[in-house]
Amino acid sequence: MQPRVDFISLGVRSVDASRRFYAEGLGWPVHREVPGEVVFLQANHGLILSLWDAGQMQAEAGTDAPAGVPCITLSHNVGSAEEVDQAMRQAEAAGAVIVAAPKTQPWGGYTGYFADPDGFRWEVAFNPTWTVDAAGRVTV
């Protein structure tokens, strides 16, 4: 098995509400969709963020609905602290709940956290040591 992630699928309560948040609010491009069932967003080179009806996802994956907020954080890295602030403002305007205002972290970066309409946590981060080369390899 090759070390890569091609899809990140989130089980959402309302595909329509999640589509409004990500596609209309944040401006992420819709790659494909089945209205009311699933929306595929082009998130990065070769990476799709899938917003999937939670009931359908749980049935296929053989899981129960989580009791609370799933313990997962998705990260969106940007090139400066100012870009963190800008992305956080855009997310809040789109309907996100700010769960941790942006601040300088002890490790030298600058991060903020928001929750999407289903409570999934997103970190918006500027990490001055984070680089990605032309081949897509990450150095931290």
Side-chain angles (χ1 to χ4, degrees), residues 74-132:
L74 304 168
S75 295
H76 179 79
N77 284 32
V78 295
S80 69
E82 294 78 22
E83 289 178 72
V84 170
D85 292 337
Q86 180 183 3
M88 293 291 289
R89 285 191 300 270
Q90 182 181 8
E92 186 173 33
V97 174
I98 304 302
V99 295
K103 68 178 184 179
T104 301
Q105 299 296 338
W107 49 267
Y110 183 77
T111 67
Y113 289 81
F114 67 83
D116 78 358
D118 285 279
F120 289 105
R121 293 328 200 237
W122 280 89
E123 172 195 36
V124 181
F126 165 60
N127 182 338
T129 66
W130 174 274
T131 60
V132 180

Side-chain angles (χ1 to χ4, degrees), residues 3-24:
R4 71 169 192 263
V5 175
D6 301 303
F7 270 74
I8 296 172
S9 297
L10 304 179
V12 299
R13 291 183 298 259
S14 169
V15 172
D16 295 334
S18 291
R19 184 193 195 289
R20 281 190 301 277
F21 177 76
Y22 285 98
E24 296 166 26

